[in-house]
Amino acid sequence: MAINNGKGAIGLDKEDTLYQHGTLALLVPGLLTGTLTIGELLEHGDYGIGTLQGLDGELTLVDGVGYLAQSDGNVVTVDPKETVPFANAHFQRATDKLEHTQITKAALEKEIMQNHDYENIFFAMKIHGVFSSVRTRVVAGNRQPPFKPLAIVAQNQELFSAENVTGTLVGYYSPELFQGVASAGFHVHFVSDDHQFGGHILDYALTQGTVELQRFENLDLHLPVHDSTYRKHRFDYDDMSAVIRSAEGNE
Amino acid sequence: MAINNGKGAIGLDKEDTLYQHGTLALLVPGLLTGTLTIGELLEHGDYGIGTLQGLDGELTLVDGVGYLAQSDGNVVTVDPKETVPFANAHFQRATDKLEHTQITKAALEKEIMQNHDYENIFFAMKIHGVFSSVRTRVVAGNRQPPFKPLAIVAQNQELFSAENVTGTLVGYYSPELFQGVASAGFHVHFVSDDHQFGGHILDYALTQGTVELQRFENLDLHLPVHDSTYRKHRFDYDDMSAVIRSAEGNE
């Protein structure tokens, strides 16, 4: 790590920081106004995940470009002027890199948690490779208000699947303490190399690929403090974890 | 706000960021090893609060100097080489400034929350003035291991009070969503101008003083990822909120 590089916390490189705009909690009651542009998000990383205003689609940042998996099954490149209510980004520089063959999502995630003391820290997971199967969901939100609560929008999700698909998986592991701030556990998105398939991953089986992990020292959490709807909202946290697990969970 | 000033998040001034090292949650099971020096903490702000390794005393940063209220009633200046398991700091630049007379802790906090849409954002509170009464507690931790869980250390706290005391109150409001990451609600410390009295505030009545609030856009959360005890710990979050409220609460 370098001493103050002018790009992040003192004594840390920019690659040591996970940037987050918004909280998962604000999606729950439907505070879905976009409060950060894709352009601004990309200033905080070249890889990441998120959703657009109104929970419209599943966003994946790959090598500095935002790809949006839409509920009609199309994947489009996102205009930097589009906005997000919630997103993560980081500058990719793996701290662990492994070649993997023939492994399922469940087995890989179990192996990662068994082989590393990563339960209480944030880390990114990036996989590029060939997947024998990938199952995704794409929420069918609406770009313009009025917005609906997460549980309602999630009911309208579309399911997609692909076999023998080559592409990039991008996402994060967040510690349990941060449930509600983020989605605790693994939260990963996918976009195929041909940009024909993507979304929020429900399940996958990796045939062969490079699994990169990147642990972070810092979470740089940016809240939409200029959005009066966010500021004035009275959150009800009682059932939040259940709603999040249901809407963001793997199944 | 300035465009990238090289000191914090892009587009934000350093005064827009609240820095936090560690989580309140790690204090609960007694992960009290100091994992950041006071010197490092002061690079992230000139005002702040925290505790030393082993929950040894109540730390208050005022104008770039760390003051430690000890359980023997003394307040000492802290060596920059001392370490903290958990602390907050910010660069002071008030976004609201008000003169107040004759107001209690409860009334002032109620007034602040009624007059501002600050429930879902982080903000600092700094008061300098004359207090007709200040009641504090100082935890009686131990600087060297083995360390005890927060609930046990908190049972050994010492209580102090002062009347007609002039000094500085420093602390933070954290949204309810961040209970466990921080102490939700107000968490404030005090040090008198003559450095004879201080601690974690239980209650106060302000005679006359300047109340400064400073809202933050960013939480810069630094986790002790290099501490293997932290990384390996299996947290039990079931009773955590109750323990935190009991140990960190106002009464």
Side-chain angles (χ1 to χ4, degrees):
Chain A
M1 293 166 201
I3 299 305
N4 198 355
N5 62 358
K7 289 179 179 171
I10 294 163
L12 296 178
D13 291 343
K14 67 185 192 302
E15 292 86 356
D16 295 316
T17 292
L18 169 60
Y19 177 80
Q20 180 172 313
H21 173 71
T23 64
L24 190 55
L26 60 80
L27 303 183
V28 173
L31 303 181
L32 303 180
T33 301
T35 42
L36 189 83
T37 67
I38 296 289
E40 290 169 328
L41 180 64
L42 286 167
E43 292 177 356
H44 297 279
D46 48 7
Y47 282 79
I49 60 177
T51 187
L52 290 204
Q53 170 161 309
L55 274 177
D56 191 8
E58 308 283 350
L59 175 71
T60 311
L61 306 185
V62 177
D63 202 17
V65 179
Y67 299 97
L68 185 72
Q70 298 177 319
S71 57
D72 61 5
N74 289 321
V75 177
V76 298
T77 305
V78 177
D79 190 299
K81 296 194 188 76
E82 293 289 355
T83 56
V84 295
F86 177 61
N88 286 93
H90 74 281
F91 291 99
Q92 180 69 20
R93 187 183 65 186
T95 48
D96 300 272
K97 201 166 181 173
L98 285 167
E99 293 299 315
H100 261 284
T101 56
Q102 308 293 348
I103 192 161
T104 63
K105 177 179 192 290
L108 178 59
E109 292 179 357
K110 187 177 175 187
E111 183 186 303
I112 288 169
M113 300 316 287
Q114 282 179 338
N115 290 350
H116 299 81
D117 301 325
Y118 282 2
E119 188 170 299
N120 301 320
I121 71 175
F122 291 89
F123 64 91
M125 177 162 64
K126 171 180 176 255
I127 307 177
H128 184 262
V130 181
F131 296 76
S132 58
S133 74
V134 180
R135 293 199 300 114
T136 65
R137 73 98 192 268
V138 177
V139 287
N142 46 294
R143 195 79 61 97
Q144 298 306 323
F147 302 126
K148 303 183 205 82
L150 178 64
I152 303 296
V153 181
Q155 282 173 9
N156 294 323
Q157 67 187 21
E158 298 290 337
L159 302 178
F160 300 95
S161 63
E163 297 185 353
N164 298 315
V165 59
T166 302
T168 305
L169 176 154
V170 180
Y172 302 95
Y173 172 90
S174 302
E176 179 67 24
L177 178 63
F178 295 85
Q179 178 72 303
V181 178
S183 180
F186 286 91
H187 178 193
V188 293
H189 286 193
F190 186 84
V191 63
S192 64
D193 278 4
D194 63 8
H195 308 148
Q196 299 295 307
F197 172 78
H200 171 106
I201 282 187
L202 299 177
D203 203 6
Y204 61 82
L206 179 65
T207 303
Q208 188 278 321
T210 307
V211 178
E212 299 180 42
L213 306 181
Q214 182 170 342
R215 60 180 184 275
F216 302 111
E217 281 200 47
N218 268 52
L219 173 69
D220 179 7
L221 178 65
H222 181 248
L223 296 178
V225 300
H226 301 295
D227 178 19
S228 67
T229 306
Y230 169 74
R231 289 202 313 275
K232 291 178 197 296
H233 189 79
R234 306 301 296 260
F235 283 91
D236 174 7
Y237 295 109
D238 288 350
D239 297 323
M240 189 163 283
S241 187
V243 172
I244 290 170
R245 284 188 203 282
S246 170
E248 297 291 320
N250 297 325
E251 291 301 324
Chain B
M1 290 168 207
I3 299 304
N4 198 355
N5 62 355
K7 288 180 180 170
I10 293 163
L12 297 178
D13 291 343
K14 68 185 192 303
E15 291 86 356
D16 295 315
T17 292
L18 169 60
Y19 177 80
Q20 181 172 312
H21 173 71
T23 65
L24 191 55
L26 61 78
L27 302 184
V28 173
L31 303 181
L32 303 181
T33 300
T35 43
L36 190 83
T37 67
I38 296 288
E40 290 167 329
L41 179 64
L42 287 167
E43 292 176 356
H44 297 280
D46 47 8
Y47 281 79
I49 60 176
T51 187
L52 290 204
Q53 171 162 308
L55 275 177
D56 190 7
E58 309 283 349
L59 174 71
T60 311
L61 306 184
V62 176
D63 202 17
V65 178
Y67 299 97
L68 186 71
Q70 299 178 320
S71 58
D72 61 5
N74 289 322
V75 176
V76 299
T77 304
V78 177
D79 190 299
K81 295 194 188 76
E82 294 290 352
T83 57
V84 294
F86 176 60
N88 286 92
H90 75 281
F91 290 101
Q92 179 69 20
R93 186 182 65 185
T95 49
D96 300 272
K97 201 166 181 173
L98 284 167
E99 293 299 316
H100 261 285
T101 55
Q102 307 293 348
I103 193 161
T104 63
K105 179 179 191 289
L108 178 60
E109 292 179 359
K110 187 176 175 187
E111 182 186 303
I112 288 168
M113 300 316 287
Q114 282 179 338
N115 290 351
H116 299 82
D117 300 324
Y118 282 2
E119 188 170 300
N120 302 319
I121 71 176
F122 290 89
F123 63 91
M125 178 163 63
K126 170 180 176 258
I127 306 177
H128 184 264
V130 182
F131 296 75
S132 57
S133 74
V134 179
R135 292 199 301 116
T136 66
R137 73 98 193 267
V138 177
V139 287
N142 47 294
R143 195 80 60 96
Q144 298 307 320
F147 302 127
K148 303 182 205 83
L150 178 63
I152 303 297
V153 181
Q155 282 172 10
N156 293 323
Q157 67 187 20
E158 298 291 337
L159 302 178
F160 300 96
S161 63
E163 297 185 352
N164 298 316
V165 59
T166 301
T168 305
L169 176 155
V170 181
Y172 303 95
Y173 171 90
S174 303
E176 180 66 24
L177 178 63
F178 295 85
Q179 177 72 305
V181 178
S183 180
F186 286 90
H187 179 191
V188 293
H189 286 193
F190 186 84
V191 62
S192 64
D193 278 4
D194 63 7
H195 308 146
Q196 298 295 308
F197 171 79
H200 170 106
I201 281 187
L202 299 177
D203 202 6
Y204 60 81
L206 179 65
T207 304
Q208 187 278 322
T210 306
V211 178
E212 299 180 41
L213 305 181
Q214 182 171 344
R215 59 180 185 275
F216 301 112
E217 281 201 47
N218 268 51
L219 174 70
D220 179 6
L221 179 66
H222 181 249
L223 296 179
V225 301
H226 301 295
D227 178 19
S228 67
T229 306
Y230 169 73
R231 290 201 313 273
K232 291 178 197 297
H233 190 79
R234 307 301 296 261
F235 283 92
D236 174 7
Y237 294 109
D238 287 349
D239 297 324
M240 187 163 284
S241 187
V243 171
I244 289 171
R245 285 188 202 283
S246 170
E248 296 292 318
N250 297 326
E251 292 300 324

